[in-house]
């Protein structure tokens, strides 16, 4: 079995030691040498390169501005021509078992399976909002999925995460690999194409990593803006697999019940997050009508927008959003939200006025103004 483990990195800092130790344990379990690991580093300056080299990992360096969630991972597909399987991890996904990768790869013994992703467990210090997100998206039961499952699972049928995901290289090649330009969700784009071509994907609940995020409200907005951009630019995802509306409603109901039982004090924050995600997503779907400067500010991935065609954005900069009052309200609401979103360098700060935001958005919503439909 020819396996390459691919890890994009950028200043992992304190996370590196635990990540590297767990990865080396898994290499020993597989009987693989350290140079089976390919580090795709975006000019880290925290000693990552030195530590990775000392561990025996191979390092391929790229500039920070050239990083792209799809394009950078596609670099590994091009470099590792001798690999049969590619296992992707993120630098903050710590393998929870010494045999996690072996268990994940077992799913690819089925020749019909083109990709398999593992279960993500919440960090030990995670609070209830963070914990619920992992429990909802990564249940304890494994499952095979195919194109036919879109009928029962809808958009969920192509869900996956490159924080811990293995691919059959030939399957990736057969659908053109990862998209060269992807602000996020590159794994769902690739798996969606695989399903259309007849490949299956597998969720392997027995293979686990510790990986979760305590996003601020502002970061939730930015993250869902990026998801909306992806759905706008890859229309086949919604056309072929349906919208994520049903899954979103199930998530909100499940989260409310979970918080009511475990941490009721977080319910107001969760409701605000839900509203913020919705506004972010809807703005992302309309990103073509926003200026480049606005898109960069609304997004979690500023580097993505630096590679956009500046001339095109200058021609279409600040194009007015036409249509119903609901769209006009959406644009003005987004402006109020972005005024409260900190610059990316201050992304760790929470929104300072969540209550004001919620009150203002509800007060000016089309529902409050004679129910615009």
């Amino acid at each position: 079995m020819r396996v390459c483990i691919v890890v994009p990195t950028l200043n992992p800092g304190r996370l590196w030691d635990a990540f590297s130790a767990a990865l080396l344990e898994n290499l020993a379990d597989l009987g693989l040498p350290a140079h089976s690991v390919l580090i795709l580093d975006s000019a880290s300056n925290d000693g990552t390169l030195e530590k990775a080299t000392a561990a025996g990992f191979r390092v391929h360096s790229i500039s920070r501005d050239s990083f792209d969630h799809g394009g950078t991972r596609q670099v590994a597909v091009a470099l590792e021509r001798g690999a049969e399987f590619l296992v992707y991890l993120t630098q903050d996904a710590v393998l929870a078992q010494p045999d996690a990768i072996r268990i994940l790869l077992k799913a690819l013994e089925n020749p019909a399976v083109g990709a398999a992703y593992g279960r993500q467990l919440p960090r030990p210090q995670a609070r209830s909002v963070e914990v619920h997100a992992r429990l909802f998206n990564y249940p304890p039961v494994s499952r095979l999925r195919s194109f036919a499952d879109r009928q029962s699972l809808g958009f969920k049928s192509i869900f996956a995460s490159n924080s811990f995901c293995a691919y059959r290289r030939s399957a990736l090649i057969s659908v053109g690999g990862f998209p060269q330009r992807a602000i996020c969700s590159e794994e769902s784009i690739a798996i969606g194409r695989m399903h259309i071509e007849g490949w299956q994907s597998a969720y392997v609940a027995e293979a686990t990593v510790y990986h979760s995020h305590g996003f601020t409200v502002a970061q939730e907005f930015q993250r869902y803006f990026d998801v909306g951009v992806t759905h706008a630019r890859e229309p086949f995802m919604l056309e072929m697999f349906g919208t994520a509306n049903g899954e979103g409603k199930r998530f909100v109901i499940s989260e409310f019940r979970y918080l009511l039982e475990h941490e009721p004090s977080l319910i107001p924050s969760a409701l605000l997050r839900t509203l913020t995600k919705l506004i972010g997503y809807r703005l992302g779907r309309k990103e073509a009508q926003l200026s480049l400067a606005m898109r960069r500010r609304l997004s979690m991935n500023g580097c993505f927008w630096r590679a956009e065609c500046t001339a095109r954005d200058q021609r279409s900069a600040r194009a007015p959003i036409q249509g119903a009052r609901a769209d006009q309200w959406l644009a003005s609401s987004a402006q109020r939200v972005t005024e409260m979103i900190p610059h990316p360098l201050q992304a760790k700060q929470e929104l300072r006025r969540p209550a004001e935001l919620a009150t203002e958005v509800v007060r000016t919503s089309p529902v409050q103004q004679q129910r615009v439909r």
Side-chain angles (χ1 to χ4, degrees):
M1 183 184 293
R2 301 184 305 278
V3 179
C4 177
I5 299 163
V6 185
V7 188
T9 57
L10 171 60
N11 292 336
R14 294 179 302 172
L15 296 170
W16 177 261
D17 290 341
F19 171 85
S20 179
L23 179 53
L24 289 169
E25 278 188 334
N26 273 258
L27 290 178
D29 174 74
L30 290 164
L32 293 176
H35 66 254
S36 299
V37 177
L38 175 64
I39 303 295
L40 299 175
D41 187 72
S42 301
S44 292
N45 54 17
D46 66 344
T48 296
L49 296 181
E50 293 78 6
K51 290 180 180 180
T53 302
F57 304 154
R58 289 176 293 135
V59 176
H60 180 83
S61 297
I62 62 174
S63 67
R64 293 189 186 184
D65 284 350
S66 66
F67 175 82
D68 181 273
H69 282 288
T72 298
R73 288 176 170 86
Q74 183 63 19
V75 168
V77 178
L79 290 175
E80 299 300 318
R81 296 185 178 183
E84 184 180 3
F85 304 109
L86 297 168
V87 179
Y88 287 87
L89 288 161
T90 52
Q91 65 187 20
D92 57 347
V94 178
L95 294 158
Q97 312 151 251
D99 57 352
I101 294 178
R102 178 169 57 82
I103 295 172
L104 185 67
L105 288 170
K106 202 168 185 63
L108 294 174
E109 292 177 2
N110 180 344
V113 174
Y117 71 102
R119 188 181 186 191
Q120 296 184 25
L121 305 175
R123 304 175 300 164
Q125 68 270 35
R127 295 189 67 181
S128 294
V129 168
E130 194 174 335
V131 171
H132 170 265
R134 286 299 174 260
L135 295 177
F136 183 87
N137 289 318
Y138 300 92
V141 179
S142 298
R143 177 166 183 169
L144 274 177
R145 296 166 181 165
S146 68
F147 188 58
D149 287 308
R150 75 192 190 283
Q151 301 293 344
S152 58
L153 298 178
F155 201 81
K156 189 75 172 181
S157 66
I158 59 172
F159 177 79
S161 172
N162 270 343
S163 288
F164 185 34
C165 194
Y167 296 86
R168 190 183 305 277
R169 186 176 180 275
S170 60
L172 264 179
I173 294 294
S174 72
V175 297
F178 293 112
Q180 288 293 336
R181 297 283 298 144
I183 194 168
C184 67
S185 305
E186 74 288 343
E187 61 280 273
S188 291
I189 295 171
I191 289 175
R193 291 171 178 171
M194 285 185 188
H195 282 191
I196 293 171
E197 293 299 317
W199 291 97
Q200 296 178 358
S201 62
Y203 168 57
V204 185
E206 297 79 14
T208 59
V209 294
Y210 291 108
H211 181 254
S212 61
H213 296 285
F215 288 125
T216 65
V217 176
Q219 289 169 326
E220 293 278 28
F221 175 93
Q222 293 171 319
R223 191 164 71 96
Y224 275 80
F225 175 83
D226 291 347
V227 172
V229 170
T230 296
H231 292 176
R233 296 192 174 198
E234 298 287 348
F236 87 93
M237 299 175 76
L238 300 182
E239 292 169 0
M240 300 296 290
F241 300 98
T243 69
N245 290 342
E247 188 69 9
K249 291 176 182 177
R250 285 191 292 272
F251 179 89
V252 171
I253 294 170
S254 174
E255 182 181 52
F256 178 80
R257 289 174 176 169
Y258 185 85
L259 293 179
L260 193 62
E261 180 179 352
H262 293 88
E263 203 167 355
S265 63
L266 293 182
I267 290 176
S269 171
L271 294 175
L272 176 60
R273 287 171 185 273
T274 298
L275 179 62
T276 301
K277 292 174 186 178
L278 176 61
I279 295 173
Y281 177 76
R282 291 181 66 182
L283 255 295
R285 292 289 303 274
K286 295 180 177 292
E287 55 99 7
Q289 301 178 57
L290 303 175
S291 70
L292 176 61
M294 177 65 76
R295 280 180 264 179
R296 286 181 62 179
R297 185 167 186 194
L298 294 176
S299 173
M300 185 173 274
N301 297 286
C303 289
F304 176 85
W305 301 104
R306 298 191 188 109
E308 292 291 285
C309 179
T310 304
R312 184 191 67 183
D313 280 296
Q314 288 176 340
R315 287 195 300 270
S316 61
R318 299 307 298 241
I321 298 179
Q322 303 294 332
R325 290 172 58 206
D327 284 341
Q328 296 170 353
W329 164 78
L330 177 60
S332 62
S333 296
Q335 181 61 39
R336 292 194 299 277
V337 171
T338 55
E339 288 172 357
M340 298 180 182
I341 294 178
H343 187 274
L345 294 178
Q346 302 170 326
K348 292 185 178 180
Q349 296 180 4
E350 187 65 61
L351 284 174
R352 296 180 179 177
R353 297 182 292 161
E356 293 180 26
L357 171 61
T359 300
E360 178 66 9
V361 169
V362 171
R363 183 181 66 80
T364 60
S365 72
V367 176
Q368 291 297 100
Q369 298 179 8
Q370 299 181 354
R371 290 188 173 274
V372 173
R373 288 185 286 270

